[in-house]
Amino acid sequence: MVKLLLASRNQHKIEELQQMLVGLNIEVISLDDVADMPVIEEDGKTFNENASKKARLTAMHTGLICLADDSGLVVDALGGQPGVYSARFAGEDADDRKNNHKLLQMLRGLEDEKRQARFICVIAISDPQGKVQTVEGTCEGQINYGERGTGGFGYDPLFIPEGYSQTFAELPPEEKNRISHRGQALLKARSILEKVTG
């Protein structure tokens, strides 16, 4: 088994990634399993910059193959916000509830066709020498008028993927993983991982 380090402490994200990597000859560990890993500041202007930096620095620090992702919600009517600031949209002490509340406030009064949005996920995989490969996944949809559903995390209770009437938070996890931005990116990442860990 090859060890793959996920550069994350987000339990939801770790579980989601673990489910999607089943069947590969990989033992998935997270930052919680690594002692004295310095915090890496996500100061990039794009998802790609943040994911690449996280993967490279974590891999070089630990000597392990590392997978990092940066993902977020891009809302057309807000000029692409929250974007790379999705996790801290409502401020440094933001949580999912505060972020969702702020988003709904900013979109108040906008009709369906002005609520277009997409989730974007960039996955970066780095070897311990710092060689990085990236892939991207997107999921188009729109922002609902209120929160619905209890599954998922983040903006999932507000996001209705294209072709569906339920939010991500209302869909069964397998279905969400199949169509989500992270699911799309991971599908592409699997072939890189098969080569890197083979």
Side-chain angles (χ1 to χ4, degrees), residues 112-174:
D112 281 5
E113 56 275 15
K114 297 241 176 79
R115 301 176 82 88
Q116 294 309 110
R118 72 206 45 81
F119 270 122
I120 297 176
C121 173
V122 173
I123 287 180
I125 298 164
S126 178
D127 65 18
Q129 289 71 47
K131 181 173 174 276
V132 178
Q133 299 179 70
T134 61
V135 291
E136 181 175 310
T138 58
C139 182
E140 298 286 337
Q142 68 179 65
I143 304 302
N144 193 37
Y145 294 89
E147 294 188 32
R148 288 198 336 236
T150 54
F153 61 99
Y155 298 96
D156 287 357
L158 294 179
F159 184 79
I160 301 174
E162 211 167 70
Y164 287 76
S165 56
Q166 306 106 305
T167 66
F168 261 177
E170 293 175 302
L171 290 174
E174 313 72 52

Side-chain angles (χ1 to χ4, degrees), residues 14-121:
I14 292 162
E15 284 163 19
E16 217 167 80
L17 287 167
Q18 281 172 328
Q19 281 168 7
M20 293 180 183
L21 294 172
V22 166
L24 291 178
N25 186 34
I26 287 172
E27 181 197 343
V28 179
I29 62 171
S30 74
L31 289 180
D32 290 334
D33 302 308
V34 177
D36 53 74
M37 180 68 209
V39 173
I40 296 166
E41 193 187 348
E42 294 181 39
D43 51 6
K45 302 265 186 294
T46 64
F47 297 121
N48 198 313
E49 284 175 22
N50 283 334
S52 297
K53 179 182 179 183
K54 259 191 297 192
R56 186 174 57 252
L57 294 182
T58 306
M60 290 172 78
H61 180 83
T62 60
L64 296 167
I65 296 167
C66 178
L67 182 153
D69 89 309
D70 195 38
S71 50
L73 183 67
V74 172
V75 181
D76 294 346
L78 302 179
Q81 289 188 80
V84 292
Y85 303 106
S86 290
R88 48 192 188 280
F89 189 40
E92 283 308 316
D93 65 337
D95 58 18
D96 292 350
R97 199 179 49 77
K98 288 178 185 166
N99 287 335
N100 285 337
H101 180 71
K102 179 175 180 179
L103 182 62
L104 286 173
Q105 290 298 312
M106 291 178 80
L107 294 178
R108 202 169 35 202
L110 288 186
E111 56 275 17
D112 281 5
E113 56 275 15
K114 297 241 176 79
R115 301 176 82 88
Q116 294 309 110
R118 72 206 45 81
F119 270 122
I120 297 176
C121 173

